[in-house]
Amino acid sequence: QPAIPANMSSTNEATVIHMDDTTGKAPATAAPPPAAAPAPVQQQRKSGGGVPFILRSGAEGFRRCMAFVDLLLRVAAFGPTLAAAISTGTSDETLSVFTEFFQFRARFDDFPAFTFFMVANAVAAGYLVLSLPFSIVGIIRPKATGIRLLLLVCDTVMVVLVTAAASAAAAIVYVAHEGSRRANWAPICMQFHGFCQRTSGAVVASFLAVLVFIVLVLLSVFVNQLFVDHCGM
């Protein structure tokens, strides 16, 4: 250490400099590492990156809410499909005026379109019951995209099936009410009132189920598209 001058006051603090024994120079102190610049991805996430507010505030909660709506729609569609199948399957009426050799009777299996209509609605009702657990899983696990895609494909198939069956049954109901003059087909609803009322109500209920299925498909497409856009950002 260098000698302290005699004229320096004892109250002042002495500055001690440690010298290197070999070189006589003070060791260089290491500079602190520069602060890491924030990643651009993190800046975009903090600022929002153009994501809608409802996704920034809680994308998982939004998807869970849409999954709950999906569950309610499936429960709502189950009633019309089951009612259409039961109403068509029990459509059987026999006129009170008949003889021993002639009976006038109208039954759903006399028309292949009504048989197809009843089977299609029964299949749709069974599918809706089986799809309820998958919809509940979508509520518990909002990020399960595989289940959403599976339900979307099956819902689209049900839309096509029920629409075809309801359209075929509607054509038979129209002929039963109005007949066809060119084909010399007389309307039978003037005699078979109960049969026509049950089949007509079943067709209306089936078309209501078709509307619910269409809403389910559109909802699934909307939620899946939002999920893809949010993950891409």
Side-chain angles (χ1 to χ4, degrees), residues 3-27:
I4 301 176
N7 57 356
M8 180 177 293
S9 175
S10 61
T11 59
N12 295 332
E13 294 181 356
T15 303
V16 179
I17 301 176
H18 296 279
M19 304 298 294
D20 194 355
D21 296 338
T22 58
T23 59
K25 297 180 180 179

PDB file of all heavy atoms in Angstrom, residues 3-27:
ATOM      1  N   ALA A   3       2.129   4.960   1.057  1.00  0.00           N
ATOM      2  CA  ALA A   3       2.163   5.645   2.362  1.00  0.00           C
ATOM      3  C   ALA A   3       1.194   6.788   2.372  1.00  0.00           C
ATOM      4  O   ALA A   3       0.998   7.485   1.378  1.00  0.00           O
ATOM      5  CB  ALA A   3       3.587   6.157   2.652  1.00  0.00           C
ATOM      6  N   ILE A   4       0.587   6.992   3.523  1.00  0.00           N
ATOM      7  CA  ILE A   4      -0.384   8.086   3.696  1.00  0.00           C
ATOM      8  C   ILE A   4       0.400   9.331   4.048  1.00  0.00           C
ATOM      9  O   ILE A   4       1.253   9.317   4.946  1.00  0.00           O
ATOM     10  CB  ILE A   4      -1.382   7.748   4.802  1.00  0.00           C
ATOM     11  CG1 ILE A   4      -2.128   6.437   4.444  1.00  0.00           C
ATOM     12  CG2 ILE A   4      -2.359   8.867   5.012  1.00  0.00           C
ATOM     13  CD1 ILE A   4      -3.068   5.973   5.537  1.00  0.00           C
ATOM     14  N   PRO A   5       0.128  10.445   3.363  1.00  0.00           N
ATOM     15  CA  PRO A   5       0.863  11.668   3.674  1.00  0.00           C
ATOM     16  C   PRO A   5       0.621  12.103   5.091  1.00  0.00           C
ATOM     17  O   PRO A   5      -0.467  11.914   5.654  1.00  0.00           O
ATOM     18  CB  PRO A   5       0.337  12.685   2.662  1.00  0.00           C
ATOM     19  CG  PRO A   5      -0.218  11.838   1.550  1.00  0.00           C
ATOM     20  CD  PRO A   5      -0.691  10.590   2.159  1.00  0.00           C
ATOM     21  N   ALA A   6       1.648  12.806   5.661  1.00  0.00           N
ATOM     22  CA  ALA A   6       1.536  13.231   7.064  1.00  0.00           C
ATOM     23  C   ALA A   6       0.583  14.370   7.240  1.00  0.00           C
ATOM     24  O   ALA A   6      -0.002  14.535   8.302  1.00  0.00           O
ATOM     25  CB  ALA A   6       2.932  13.628   7.595  1.00  0.00           C
ATOM     26  N   ASN A   7       0.488  15.247   6.202  1.00  0.00           N
ATOM     27  CA  ASN A   7      -0.370  16.423   6.354  1.00  0.00           C
ATOM     28  C   ASN A   7      -1.838  16.114   6.172  1.00  0.00           C
ATOM     29  O   ASN A   7      -2.655  17.021   6.180  1.00  0.00           O
ATOM     30  CB  ASN A   7       0.061  17.523   5.378  1.00  0.00           C
ATOM     31  CG  ASN A   7       0.017  17.001   3.931  1.00  0.00           C
ATOM     32  OD1 ASN A   7      -0.263  15.830   3.712  1.00  0.00           O
ATOM     33  ND2 ASN A   7       0.327  17.907   3.000  1.00  0.00           N
ATOM     34  N   MET A   8      -2.243  14.835   5.922  1.00  0.00           N
ATOM     35  CA  MET A   8      -3.665  14.509   5.712  1.00  0.00           C
ATOM     36  C   MET A   8      -4.317  14.394   7.075  1.00  0.00           C
ATOM     37  O   MET A   8      -3.754  13.800   7.992  1.00  0.00           O
ATOM     38  CB  MET A   8      -3.804  13.197   4.951  1.00  0.00           C
ATOM     39  CG  MET A   8      -5.272  12.802   4.710  1.00  0.00           C
ATOM     40  SD  MET A   8      -5.387  11.300   3.732  1.00  0.00           S
ATOM     41  CE  MET A   8      -4.725  11.929   2.202  1.00  0.00           C
ATOM     42  N   SER A   9      -5.457  14.914   7.194  1.00  0.00           N
ATOM     43  CA  SER A   9      -6.173  14.918   8.464  1.00  0.00           C
ATOM     44  C   SER A   9      -6.611  13.511   8.802  1.00  0.00           C
ATOM     45  O   SER A   9      -6.929  12.713   7.924  1.00  0.00           O
ATOM     46  CB  SER A   9      -7.384  15.857   8.381  1.00  0.00           C
ATOM     47  OG  SER A   9      -8.138  15.760   9.576  1.00  0.00           O
ATOM     48  N   SER A  10      -6.602  13.214  10.070  1.00  0.00           N
ATOM     49  CA  SER A  10      -6.993  11.881  10.512  1.00  0.00           C
ATOM     50  C   SER A  10      -8.472  11.624  10.378  1.00  0.00           C
ATOM     51  O   SER A  10      -8.941  10.508  10.412  1.00  0.00           O
ATOM     52  CB  SER A  10      -6.580  11.694  11.976  1.00  0.00           C
ATOM     53  OG  SER A  10      -7.234  12.656  12.795  1.00  0.00           O
ATOM     54  N   THR A  11      -9.228  12.745  10.265  1.00  0.00           N
ATOM     55  CA  THR A  11     -10.679  12.579  10.124  1.00  0.00           C
ATOM     56  C   THR A  11     -11.094  12.185   8.737  1.00  0.00           C
ATOM     57  O   THR A  11     -12.183  11.664   8.523  1.00  0.00           O
ATOM     58  CB  THR A  11     -11.392  13.889  10.504  1.00  0.00           C
ATOM     59  OG1 THR A  11     -10.913  14.918   9.627  1.00  0.00           O
ATOM     60  CG2 THR A  11     -11.094  14.241  11.953  1.00  0.00           C
ATOM     61  N   ASN A  12     -10.262  12.495   7.739  1.00  0.00           N
ATOM     62  CA  ASN A  12     -10.612  12.131   6.358  1.00  0.00           C
ATOM     63  C   ASN A  12     -10.342  10.653   6.137  1.00  0.00           C
ATOM     64  O   ASN A  12      -9.378  10.097   6.655  1.00  0.00           O
ATOM     65  CB  ASN A  12      -9.794  12.962   5.365  1.00  0.00           C
ATOM     66  CG  ASN A  12     -10.137  14.436   5.457  1.00  0.00           C
ATOM     67  OD1 ASN A  12     -11.255  14.797   5.835  1.00  0.00           O
ATOM     68  ND2 ASN A  12      -9.185  15.285   5.114  1.00  0.00           N
ATOM     69  N   GLU A  13     -11.172  10.033   5.333  1.00  0.00           N
ATOM     70  CA  GLU A  13     -11.023   8.615   5.036  1.00  0.00           C
ATOM     71  C   GLU A  13      -9.958   8.445   3.981  1.00  0.00           C
ATOM     72  O   GLU A  13      -9.898   9.194   3.012  1.00  0.00           O
ATOM     73  CB  GLU A  13     -12.339   8.017   4.540  1.00  0.00           C
ATOM     74  CG  GLU A  13     -13.420   8.017   5.612  1.00  0.00           C
ATOM     75  CD  GLU A  13     -14.683   7.395   5.094  1.00  0.00           C
ATOM     76  OE1 GLU A  13     -14.715   7.057   3.894  1.00  0.00           O
ATOM     77  OE2 GLU A  13     -15.643   7.234   5.867  1.00  0.00           O
ATOM     78  N   ALA A  14      -9.131   7.484   4.162  1.00  0.00           N
ATOM     79  CA  ALA A  14      -8.060   7.217   3.206  1.00  0.00           C
ATOM     80  C   ALA A  14      -8.571   6.291   2.126  1.00  0.00           C
ATOM     81  O   ALA A  14      -9.303   5.339   2.413  1.00  0.00           O
ATOM     82  CB  ALA A  14      -6.871   6.590   3.933  1.00  0.00           C
ATOM     83  N   THR A  15      -8.206   6.601   0.946  1.00  0.00           N
ATOM     84  CA  THR A  15      -8.590   5.773  -0.196  1.00  0.00           C
ATOM     85  C   THR A  15      -7.530   4.733  -0.409  1.00  0.00           C
ATOM     86  O   THR A  15      -6.371   5.055  -0.670  1.00  0.00           O
ATOM     87  CB  THR A  15      -8.750   6.622  -1.464  1.00  0.00           C
ATOM     88  OG1 THR A  15      -9.725   7.638  -1.203  1.00  0.00           O
ATOM     89  CG2 THR A  15      -9.186   5.769  -2.632  1.00  0.00           C
ATOM     90  N   VAL A  16      -7.933   3.478  -0.291  1.00  0.00           N
ATOM     91  CA  VAL A  16      -6.995   2.369  -0.421  1.00  0.00           C
ATOM     92  C   VAL A  16      -7.183   1.746  -1.772  1.00  0.00           C
ATOM     93  O   VAL A  16      -8.307   1.363  -2.133  1.00  0.00           O
ATOM     94  CB  VAL A  16      -7.201   1.337   0.706  1.00  0.00           C
ATOM     95  CG1 VAL A  16      -6.221   0.163   0.549  1.00  0.00           C
ATOM     96  CG2 VAL A  16      -7.052   1.984   2.058  1.00  0.00           C
ATOM     97  N   ILE A  17      -6.138   1.650  -2.554  1.00  0.00           N
ATOM     98  CA  ILE A  17      -6.185   1.061  -3.899  1.00  0.00           C
ATOM     99  C   ILE A  17      -5.300  -0.157  -3.870  1.00  0.00           C
ATOM    100  O   ILE A  17      -4.105  -0.083  -3.564  1.00  0.00           O
ATOM    101  CB  ILE A  17      -5.700   2.054  -4.956  1.00  0.00           C
ATOM    102  CG1 ILE A  17      -6.578   3.329  -4.927  1.00  0.00           C
ATOM    103  CG2 ILE A  17      -5.714   1.416  -6.329  1.00  0.00           C
ATOM    104  CD1 ILE A  17      -6.116   4.394  -5.868  1.00  0.00           C
ATOM    105  N   HIS A  18      -5.861  -1.301  -4.149  1.00  0.00           N
ATOM    106  CA  HIS A  18      -5.105  -2.540  -4.177  1.00  0.00           C
ATOM    107  C   HIS A  18      -4.419  -2.658  -5.514  1.00  0.00           C
ATOM    108  O   HIS A  18      -5.061  -2.646  -6.566  1.00  0.00           O
ATOM    109  CB  HIS A  18      -6.039  -3.737  -3.942  1.00  0.00           C
ATOM    110  CG  HIS A  18      -6.680  -3.721  -2.593  1.00  0.00           C
ATOM    111  ND1 HIS A  18      -6.043  -4.156  -1.447  1.00  0.00           N
ATOM    112  CD2 HIS A  18      -7.930  -3.301  -2.208  1.00  0.00           C
ATOM    113  CE1 HIS A  18      -6.856  -4.040  -0.419  1.00  0.00           C
ATOM    114  NE2 HIS A  18      -8.008  -3.515  -0.860  1.00  0.00           N
ATOM    115  N   MET A  19      -3.155  -2.767  -5.499  1.00  0.00           N
ATOM    116  CA  MET A  19      -2.355  -2.864  -6.714  1.00  0.00           C
ATOM    117  C   MET A  19      -1.978  -4.311  -6.957  1.00  0.00           C
ATOM    118  O   MET A  19      -1.818  -5.111  -6.031  1.00  0.00           O
ATOM    119  CB  MET A  19      -1.085  -2.018  -6.568  1.00  0.00           C
ATOM    120  CG  MET A  19      -1.363  -0.550  -6.230  1.00  0.00           C
ATOM    121  SD  MET A  19      -2.289   0.284  -7.510  1.00  0.00           S
ATOM    122  CE  MET A  19      -1.051   0.244  -8.814  1.00  0.00           C
ATOM    123  N   ASP A  20      -1.936  -4.644  -8.219  1.00  0.00           N
ATOM    124  CA  ASP A  20      -1.495  -5.976  -8.596  1.00  0.00           C
ATOM    125  C   ASP A  20       0.001  -6.072  -8.357  1.00  0.00           C
ATOM    126  O   ASP A  20       0.771  -5.180  -8.708  1.00  0.00           O
ATOM    127  CB  ASP A  20      -1.813  -6.238 -10.068  1.00  0.00           C
ATOM    128  CG  ASP A  20      -1.691  -7.711 -10.391  1.00  0.00           C
ATOM    129  OD1 ASP A  20      -1.280  -8.491  -9.515  1.00  0.00           O
ATOM    130  OD2 ASP A  20      -2.042  -8.078 -11.556  1.00  0.00           O
ATOM    131  N   ASP A  21       0.424  -7.174  -7.752  1.00  0.00           N
ATOM    132  CA  ASP A  21       1.837  -7.321  -7.417  1.00  0.00           C
ATOM    133  C   ASP A  21       2.704  -7.488  -8.656  1.00  0.00           C
ATOM    134  O   ASP A  21       3.876  -7.098  -8.669  1.00  0.00           O
ATOM    135  CB  ASP A  21       2.033  -8.533  -6.480  1.00  0.00           C
ATOM    136  CG  ASP A  21       1.341  -8.309  -5.156  1.00  0.00           C
ATOM    137  OD1 ASP A  21       1.110  -7.132  -4.829  1.00  0.00           O
ATOM    138  OD2 ASP A  21       1.002  -9.307  -4.477  1.00  0.00           O
ATOM    139  N   THR A  22       2.179  -8.019  -9.710  1.00  0.00           N
ATOM    140  CA  THR A  22       2.979  -8.319 -10.904  1.00  0.00           C
ATOM    141  C   THR A  22       3.030  -7.149 -11.866  1.00  0.00           C
ATOM    142  O   THR A  22       4.084  -6.761 -12.361  1.00  0.00           O
ATOM    143  CB  THR A  22       2.418  -9.548 -11.617  1.00  0.00           C
ATOM    144  OG1 THR A  22       1.044  -9.301 -11.956  1.00  0.00           O
ATOM    145  CG2 THR A  22       2.477 -10.790 -10.699  1.00  0.00           C
ATOM    146  N   THR A  23       1.899  -6.549 -12.113  1.00  0.00           N
ATOM    147  CA  THR A  23       1.843  -5.486 -13.112  1.00  0.00           C
ATOM    148  C   THR A  23       1.795  -4.114 -12.505  1.00  0.00           C
ATOM    149  O   THR A  23       2.070  -3.123 -13.170  1.00  0.00           O
ATOM    150  CB  THR A  23       0.634  -5.663 -14.025  1.00  0.00           C
ATOM    151  OG1 THR A  23      -0.546  -5.633 -13.224  1.00  0.00           O
ATOM    152  CG2 THR A  23       0.702  -7.009 -14.750  1.00  0.00           C
ATOM    153  N   GLY A  24       1.305  -4.043 -11.255  1.00  0.00           N
ATOM    154  CA  GLY A  24       1.186  -2.739 -10.620  1.00  0.00           C
ATOM    155  C   GLY A  24      -0.025  -1.962 -11.072  1.00  0.00           C
ATOM    156  O   GLY A  24      -0.074  -0.769 -10.871  1.00  0.00           O
ATOM    157  N   LYS A  25      -0.954  -2.629 -11.710  1.00  0.00           N
ATOM    158  CA  LYS A  25      -2.149  -1.960 -12.195  1.00  0.00           C
ATOM    159  C   LYS A  25      -3.350  -2.504 -11.447  1.00  0.00           C
ATOM    160  O   LYS A  25      -3.371  -3.648 -10.995  1.00  0.00           O
ATOM    161  CB  LYS A  25      -2.339  -2.176 -13.693  1.00  0.00           C
ATOM    162  CG  LYS A  25      -1.204  -1.587 -14.528  1.00  0.00           C
ATOM    163  CD  LYS A  25      -1.462  -1.829 -15.982  1.00  0.00           C
ATOM    164  CE  LYS A  25      -0.353  -1.261 -16.849  1.00  0.00           C
ATOM    165  NZ  LYS A  25      -0.579  -1.517 -18.289  1.00  0.00           N
ATOM    166  N   ALA A  26      -4.370  -1.653 -11.369  1.00  0.00           N
ATOM    167  CA  ALA A  26      -5.611  -2.076 -10.708  1.00  0.00           C
ATOM    168  C   ALA A  26      -6.355  -3.052 -11.598  1.00  0.00           C
ATOM    169  O   ALA A  26      -6.424  -2.849 -12.812  1.00  0.00           O
ATOM    170  CB  ALA A  26      -6.491  -0.859 -10.398  1.00  0.00           C
ATOM    171  N   PRO A  27      -6.902  -4.131 -11.038  1.00  0.00           N
ATOM    172  CA  PRO A  27      -7.648  -5.101 -11.871  1.00  0.00           C
ATOM    173  C   PRO A  27      -8.902  -4.459 -12.436  1.00  0.00           C
ATOM    174  O   PRO A  27      -9.570  -3.669 -11.786  1.00  0.00           O
ATOM    175  CB  PRO A  27      -7.976  -6.224 -10.883  1.00  0.00           C
ATOM    176  CG  PRO A  27      -7.992  -5.572  -9.533  1.00  0.00           C
ATOM    177  CD  PRO A  27      -6.948  -4.504  -9.598  1.00  0.00           C
TER     178      PRO A  27
END
